């Protein structure tokens, strides 16, 4: 087979045939090329039967690309190979052998919506209150347990003494029982049940071990515990395991990925061969040097140094903005200039940010200049569910006859109002010739609606009509505050305890910022005018979105992509890195890997920007430059604007911002005019901790100590809302609560 197109390291990886092999593939180093050539080499040079080869990817798109590339190299043999995602391969195994553990060939697979519906059935059966614990919370928690291979029985053994876990334990058990009786599996079960099959029936496992002599895994750094176990069991007989990945690009801890799988590869597979792919085919050397310098701050990683034969290229362009609007204007002006000078087309630009809420001000700046754009992997600001919900509330206040808006929000947040209730309410409204909202005024007269349901509808009516009466006397911002407080939308999302819910909360506070900016422009800033202006603005957004515009996306969504010119924005403490990394080293390391991913998306030109001040949770507050800016080699930086990076870092003072004050608004967000206090100094604690202690943390909330490491002075704590954290009690604000 012709390998002339491969570099030395790539050839070494492709020509390695026997035993466990880890290919540490740096960003842009041609890992897919290596994987496909290695499989083709096995078939063409060693006469390996295609049917004895398995290749595992994380997406169907990646699997299809791999198949087409292999076919281009050695012809149509991929039909005999098993190439697919973890889930699709497990489905094939369970369709064939799932009967051993009680599943027919015709079992059904429940998607997220099916899963939610089944959990809702369990809620009703157990008389659980969705207002107290949203269904999504338990849905998220069940998935986390399965990714960590924790059965209901194992969870009960570990947490049976904790009264806060009793409802979840009962629900988890019932959910699994109902899945089994329905002959159904959710996505996480596909892996769990395959592993269960292998453990209970070794002869089945041996059949697949004999069949698959060569196993390949792409993006190995993203595997969770269940995926790790699946691969380990299948490869145990022949040990011909070929995995490709990069620990420096492990950014999915929040969805179960365990970086230890790739870091401990030699321990798990003694005698393993390690091949490093360090030559980059994407970026200029200046961009690579910047990335290398930042990621080297992570301890315990596999050392590698990306390099390229390409030119050094442009320096990294740095800009400190006064605030987020100034940052957005700078970005748009740079895009216009580069296009005008013929350096790039509008499709060459990507703007990368840490949170979805950051897109709003960027979208507005692009719209003002009529630059088409597309939000990738997410919705535009005014199309996001939580924003549309609040806007529907506003519309209903202004126009009580808007039944469309009424139906959207009558059960948002959840008020346990079902379809039958809506039908009865609608019939009552038709009978009286009124709107649905007006029908709520006499809800206690409607047959079939009573008790808590009637009270919830009456309270909804009271909130809407009470705020409607203030439309001519109150500012839009005051009405927003009363609405959000009255319907408890923030609290409802906080109960979900998920990344998605945190993002929705951020977007709600961003809407508060939009309203405050509107108020500054208006002499009489009422809600009616705000609604008219914003509706027009969101309609313009829909016109602007086209397929060939500037791309906006989160850093997580950018992984695996590349762009000629990249803006890496919002490099500020408690934004990027996020507030969760303030005293959690593992979180900080993951955020640094995310920064590395962002930097290495750029091919020719990279901008890094941050704001000196930012509207955050409805308050205008000073911001500190990100620790990642401090880790960047200033020799690689070209300053755009009046402030140098060195000056910005020198002037930054810890007292300017407090992580405690930042989080406070989520508990009580409606005191924008209260003077912000400096954070109290956290002194070295004299407390002693022991496994089982219940504790509280000022940001992460309540939790329980799992282990105490006296050598490294760290505590491992399971927090109710934020999972497992390793913290230093001498630094972190932790208190024992009993």
């Amino acid at each position: 087979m012709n390998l002339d197109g491969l570099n030395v390291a790539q050839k070494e990886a492709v020509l390695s045939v026997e035993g466990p092999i880890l290919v540490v593939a740096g960003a842009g180093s041609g890992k897919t090329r290596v994987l496909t050539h290695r499989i083709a080499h096995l078939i063409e040079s060693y006469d390996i039967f295609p049917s004895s080869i398995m290749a595992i990817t994380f997406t169907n798109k990646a699997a299809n690309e791999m198949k087409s590339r292999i076919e281009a190299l050695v012809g149509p043999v991929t039909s005999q190979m098993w190439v697919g995602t973890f889930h699709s391969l497990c489905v094939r195994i369970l369709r064939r052998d799932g009967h051993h553990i009680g599943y027919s060939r015709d079992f059904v697979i429940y998607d997220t919506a099916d899963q939610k519906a089944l959990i809702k059935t369990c809620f009703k059966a157990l008389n659980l209150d969705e207002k107290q614990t949203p269904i999504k919370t338990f849905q998220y928690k069940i998935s986390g347990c399965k990714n960590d291979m924790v059965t209901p029985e194992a969870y009960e053994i570990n947490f049976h003494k904790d009264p806060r876990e009793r409802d979840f334990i009962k629900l988890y058990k019932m959910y699994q029982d109902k899945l089994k009786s329905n002959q159904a599996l959710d996505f996480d079960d596909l892996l769990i049940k395959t592993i269960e099959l292998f453990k209970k029936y070794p002869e089945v496992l041996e059949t697949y071990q004999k069949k698959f002599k060569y196993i390949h895994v792409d993006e190995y750094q993203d595997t969770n515990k269940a995926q790790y176990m699946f691969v380990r069991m299948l490869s145990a007989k022949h040990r011909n395991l070929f995995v490709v990945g990069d620990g420096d690009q492990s950014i999915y801890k929040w969805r179960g990925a365990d970086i230890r799988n790739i870091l401990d590869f030699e321990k798990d597979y003694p005698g393993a061969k390690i091949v490093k792919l360090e030559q980059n085919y994407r970026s200029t050397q200046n961009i690579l040097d910047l990335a290398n310098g930042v990621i080297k701050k992570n301890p315990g990683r596999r050392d590698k140094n990306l390099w390229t034969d390409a030119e050094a290229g442009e320096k990294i362009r740095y800009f400190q903005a006064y605030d987020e609007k100034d940052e957005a204007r700078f970005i748009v002006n740079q895009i216009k200039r580069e296009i005008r000078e013929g350096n790039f087309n509008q499709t060459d630009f990507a703007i990368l940010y840490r949170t979805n809420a950051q897109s709003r001000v960027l979208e507005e700046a692009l719209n003002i200049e009529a630059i088409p754009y597309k939000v990738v992997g997410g919705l535009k600001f005014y199309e996001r569910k939580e924003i549309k919900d609040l806007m529907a509330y506003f519309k209903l206040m202004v126009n009580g006859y808007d039944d469309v808006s009424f139906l959207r929000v009558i059960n948002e947040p959840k008020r346990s109002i079902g379809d039958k209730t809506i039908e009865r309410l609608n019939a009552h409204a038709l009978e009286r010739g009124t709107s649905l909202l007006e029908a709520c005024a006499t809800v206690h007269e409607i047959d079939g609606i009573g008790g808590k349901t009637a009270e919830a509808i009456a309270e909804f009516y009271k909130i809407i009509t009470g705020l409607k009466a203030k439309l001519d006397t109150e500012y839009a911002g005051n009405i927003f505050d009363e609405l959000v407080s009255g319907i408890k939308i923030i609290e409802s999302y906080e109960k979900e305890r998920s990344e998605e819910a945190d993002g929705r909360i951020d977007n709600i506070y961003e809407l508060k910022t939009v309203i405050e900016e509107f108020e500054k422009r208006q002499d009489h800033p009422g809600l009616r005018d705000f609604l008219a202006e914003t509706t027009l603005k969101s309609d313009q957004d829909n016109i602007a979105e086209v397929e060939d515009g500037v791309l906006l996306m989160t850093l997580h969504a950018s992984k695996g992509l590349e762009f000629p010119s990249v803006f890496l924005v919002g490099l500020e403490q408690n934004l990027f890195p996020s507030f969760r990394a303030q005293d959690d080293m593992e979180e900080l390391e993951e955020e640094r890997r995310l920064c590395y991913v962002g930097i290495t998306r750029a091919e020719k030109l990279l901008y890094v920007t941050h704001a000196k001040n930012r509207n955050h949770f409805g308050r205008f507050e000073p911001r500190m430059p990100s620790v990642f800016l401090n880790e960047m080699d200033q020799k690689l930086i070209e300053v755009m604007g009046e402030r140098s990076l060195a000056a910005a870092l020198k002037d930054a003072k810890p007292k300017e911002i407090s992580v405690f004050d930042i989080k406070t608004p989520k508990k009580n967000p409606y005191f924008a005019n209260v003077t912000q206090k400096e954070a109290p100094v956290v002194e070295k604690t004299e407390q002693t901790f022991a496994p089982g202690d219940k504790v509280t943390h000022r940001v992460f909330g309540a939790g329980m100590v799992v282990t105490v490491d006296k050598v490294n002075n760290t505590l491992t704590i399971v927090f109710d809302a934020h999972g497992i954290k390793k913290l230093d009690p001498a630094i972190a604000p932790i208190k024992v609560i009993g």
Side-chain angles (χ1 to χ4, degrees):
M1 183 178 178
N2 189 348
L3 303 179
D4 291 343
L6 304 179
N7 64 37
V8 174
Q10 289 173 334
K11 284 181 182 178
E12 182 183 1
V14 168
L15 295 173
S16 300
V17 175
E18 300 297 327
I21 301 159
L22 167 62
V23 178
V24 181
S29 62
K31 67 179 180 65
T32 304
R33 185 179 180 82
V34 167
L35 261 173
T36 53
H37 274 72
R38 200 263 183 167
I39 292 171
H41 179 65
L42 290 176
I43 296 170
E44 195 168 86
S45 301
Y46 286 86
D47 292 327
I48 303 298
F49 289 116
S51 58
S52 66
I53 296 173
M54 175 183 281
I56 310 173
T57 68
F58 273 83
T59 67
N60 289 318
K61 179 181 178 182
N64 291 333
E65 181 183 356
M66 189 178 294
K67 288 178 184 176
S68 63
R69 287 204 191 187
I70 296 170
E71 190 167 319
L73 291 170
V74 291
V77 297
T78 54
S79 59
Q80 302 171 49
M81 298 167 49
W82 280 34
V83 181
T85 65
F86 279 99
H87 293 105
S88 66
L89 297 178
C90 286
V91 168
R92 291 184 70 172
I93 292 171
L94 291 171
R95 291 281 187 220
R96 176 178 171 179
D97 293 293
H99 63 276
H100 291 288
I101 55 173
Y103 289 91
S104 73
R105 291 175 54 87
D106 300 320
F107 67 82
V108 295
I109 301 170
Y110 278 5
D111 61 16
T112 303
D114 298 326
Q115 184 187 33
K116 185 177 179 180
L118 184 57
I119 293 175
K120 193 167 187 174
T121 300
C122 296
F123 259 61
K124 290 180 180 178
L126 295 170
N127 292 317
L128 298 179
D129 187 355
E130 194 179 340
K131 293 180 183 177
Q132 295 297 319
T133 307
I135 285 175
K136 277 191 176 181
T137 300
F138 280 169
Q139 190 174 11
Y140 180 78
K141 201 167 182 177
I142 287 171
S143 182
C145 285
K146 291 184 177 183
N147 285 338
D148 289 335
M149 298 180 63
V150 179
T151 64
E153 294 72 26
Y155 197 91
E156 183 175 23
I157 291 171
N158 289 328
F159 295 101
H160 70 282
K161 293 183 179 179
D162 190 339
R164 296 171 298 180
E165 300 292 345
R166 287 172 187 164
D167 286 345
F168 175 70
I169 291 168
K170 288 188 290 186
L171 181 128
Y172 191 10
K173 285 182 175 180
M174 180 177 285
Y175 172 75
Q176 286 303 108
D177 289 342
K178 286 186 176 295
L179 278 176
K180 187 66 178 287
S181 64
N182 291 354
Q183 281 291 291
L185 298 170
D186 61 26
F187 283 123
D188 298 313
D189 271 336
L190 295 173
L191 273 154
I192 296 297
K193 292 302 179 182
T194 303
I195 293 169
E196 179 185 326
L197 170 67
F198 288 167
K199 286 183 176 180
K200 289 183 177 179
Y201 294 89
E203 66 275 16
V204 174
L205 171 61
E206 187 177 7
T207 298
Y208 289 101
Q209 286 176 334
K210 288 179 178 178
K211 174 177 175 58
F212 296 112
K213 297 179 181 178
Y214 294 90
I215 298 173
H216 304 75
V217 186
D218 193 12
E219 303 286 8
Y220 191 68
Q221 78 280 349
D222 293 335
T223 53
N224 60 32
K225 187 173 182 179
Q227 291 160 341
Y228 162 85
M229 185 59 67
F230 174 76
V231 171
R232 188 167 175 79
M233 294 176 83
L234 274 181
S235 62
K237 182 176 180 64
H238 296 288
R239 297 185 78 246
N240 293 326
L241 176 63
F242 187 93
V243 305
V244 180
D246 181 8
D248 291 337
Q249 296 186 72
S250 179
I251 59 172
Y252 296 121
K253 178 184 174 186
W254 51 274
R255 70 183 190 195
D258 191 341
I259 193 173
R260 291 174 298 181
N261 293 348
I262 193 166
L263 294 181
D264 294 344
F265 190 79
E266 296 101 320
K267 294 179 184 177
D268 296 331
Y269 300 95
K273 181 175 183 177
I274 311 298
V275 180
K276 293 181 183 180
L277 304 184
E278 297 174 292
Q279 184 174 357
N280 178 280
Y281 294 92
R282 175 189 300 158
S283 307
T284 65
Q285 191 61 54
N286 281 338
I287 292 171
L288 298 179
D289 287 344
L290 191 81
N292 289 331
V294 170
I295 199 62
K296 283 181 179 177
K297 299 296 182 181
N298 269 1
R301 58 182 285 273
R302 293 179 182 277
D303 186 47
K304 69 176 186 301
N305 197 63
L306 296 181
W307 61 275
T308 180
D309 280 336
E311 59 186 14
E314 298 274 353
K315 284 190 173 184
I316 285 70
R317 297 178 181 177
Y318 161 82
F319 180 72
Q320 181 191 36
Y322 174 74
D323 60 13
E324 71 273 18
K325 283 190 167 184
D326 188 31
E327 181 181 47
R329 281 192 296 267
F330 168 78
I331 292 167
V332 170
N333 287 335
Q334 291 301 305
I335 291 173
K336 287 172 61 181
R337 182 177 66 82
E338 293 291 347
I339 294 174
R340 184 173 62 249
E341 294 178 359
N343 299 324
F344 296 96
N345 298 315
Q346 63 188 19
T347 55
D348 293 333
F349 296 96
I351 306 174
L352 311 182
Y353 38 78
R354 180 62 181 85
T355 68
N356 273 311
Q358 291 171 258
S359 79
R360 195 270 307 177
V361 69
L362 295 164
E363 291 179 52
E364 288 190 358
L366 289 163
N367 271 323
I368 288 171
E369 297 295 336
I371 298 176
Y373 68 92
K374 181 178 179 63
V375 179
V376 178
L379 296 171
K380 290 192 170 187
F381 183 75
Y382 291 105
E383 294 173 0
R384 293 167 190 166
K385 177 188 178 300
E386 57 280 6
I387 302 303
K388 294 187 78 169
D389 287 346
L390 288 172
M391 296 298 287
Y393 270 106
F394 295 159
K395 291 175 183 177
L396 192 58
M397 290 175 209
V398 171
N399 176 13
Y401 293 96
D402 185 356
D403 286 351
V404 172
S405 291
F406 177 93
L407 291 171
R408 181 177 182 93
V409 298
I410 182 60
N411 212 29
E412 289 291 343
K414 298 299 181 187
R415 299 184 176 90
S416 301
I417 298 171
D419 293 340
K420 289 292 184 184
T421 298
I422 297 297
E423 288 177 13
R424 293 183 179 114
L425 197 62
N426 189 49
H428 184 71
L430 289 171
E431 181 183 326
R432 300 206 170 193
T434 65
S435 67
L436 286 171
L437 180 63
E438 282 304 312
C440 294
T442 52
V443 65
H444 293 290
E445 301 175 12
I446 303 175
D447 291 338
I449 303 179
K452 291 183 179 180
T453 301
E455 291 300 323
I457 292 173
E459 178 63 21
F460 172 82
Y461 177 77
K462 181 181 177 182
I463 290 171
I464 299 298
T465 55
L467 291 173
K468 182 180 181 67
K470 298 180 180 182
L471 288 178
D472 295 323
T473 58
E474 291 285 351
Y475 282 9
N478 293 338
I479 292 177
F480 172 89
D481 290 348
E482 287 192 43
L483 173 67
V484 171
S485 178
I487 65 176
K488 295 181 171 55
I489 190 171
I490 299 293
E491 291 85 342
S492 73
Y493 284 128
E494 282 182 330
K495 287 176 183 176
E496 289 186 20
R497 302 173 183 175
S498 68
E499 289 274 339
E500 179 187 355
D502 286 349
R504 294 192 189 281
I505 291 170
D506 288 344
N507 288 331
I508 291 169
Y509 287 122
E510 185 64 20
L511 183 59
K512 167 74 171 178
T513 299
V514 176
I515 293 173
E516 288 185 339
E517 291 174 354
F518 162 79
E519 288 177 342
K520 292 175 184 176
R521 298 192 303 271
Q522 301 293 325
D523 294 331
H524 303 287
L527 187 69
R528 289 186 180 89
D529 289 338
F530 172 75
L531 194 58
E533 178 181 294
T534 308
T535 302
L536 177 61
K537 189 180 296 182
S538 58
D539 284 345
Q540 291 171 340
D541 283 352
N542 291 333
I543 295 171
E545 180 160 344
V546 293
E547 291 300 319
D548 61 349
V550 174
L551 298 180
L552 281 71
M553 69 188 76
T554 64
L555 284 150
H556 282 101
S558 74
K559 188 171 180 293
L561 304 176
E562 55 191 65
F563 314 96
S565 182
V566 167
F567 291 87
L568 187 55
V569 308
L571 279 154
E572 300 147 28
Q573 287 298 101
N574 301 303
L575 178 58
F576 188 34
S578 79
F579 72 88
R580 295 183 185 85
Q582 59 164 322
D583 51 16
D584 186 330
M585 289 306 296
E586 288 187 1
E587 290 284 352
L588 180 60
E589 288 172 20
E590 176 130 339
E591 292 283 303
R592 189 176 283 112
R593 293 194 291 270
L594 193 57
C595 183
Y596 173 82
V597 166
I599 293 170
T600 54
R601 297 312 93 194
E603 297 173 353
K604 298 178 180 178
L605 190 59
L606 173 66
Y607 289 83
V608 293
T609 69
H610 68 105
K612 190 175 182 180
N613 309 280
R614 189 174 291 270
N615 282 287
H616 191 64
F617 295 158
R619 297 188 301 183
F620 189 73
E621 55 188 32
R623 310 307 298 266
M624 287 178 64
S626 169
V627 63
F628 304 143
L629 287 170
N630 195 41
E631 295 168 355
M632 293 179 182
D633 185 349
Q634 294 188 37
K635 295 177 183 177
L636 302 170
I637 302 290
E638 175 188 350
V639 176
M640 309 289 287
E642 299 177 358
R643 299 280 292 164
S644 70
L645 176 55
L649 294 171
K650 183 178 179 181
D651 290 348
K653 297 177 182 178
K655 70 178 184 180
E656 287 184 341
I657 192 165
S658 161
V659 292
F660 309 129
D661 285 339
I662 284 178
K663 191 63 178 177
T664 298
K666 284 198 177 181
K667 298 296 182 184
N668 201 349
Y670 306 108
F671 297 96
N673 297 322
V674 176
T675 303
Q676 185 174 340
K677 297 179 181 179
E678 287 188 15
V681 176
V682 182
E683 297 180 355
K684 184 175 177 67
T685 179
E686 298 299 327
Q687 296 181 96
T688 57
F689 298 90
D693 281 351
K694 294 179 181 178
V695 296
T696 184
H697 184 282
R698 294 193 188 187
V699 171
F700 301 131
M704 184 174 70
V705 177
V706 179
T707 60
V708 178
D709 185 344
K710 294 183 179 179
V711 176
N712 296 309
N713 195 34
T714 58
L715 305 176
T716 301
I717 303 173
V718 178
F719 288 102
D720 295 348
H722 294 281
I724 299 174
K725 307 287 179 187
K726 287 188 177 181
L727 305 177
D728 183 346
I731 300 173
I734 309 168
K735 289 184 179 179
V736 176
I737 57 175

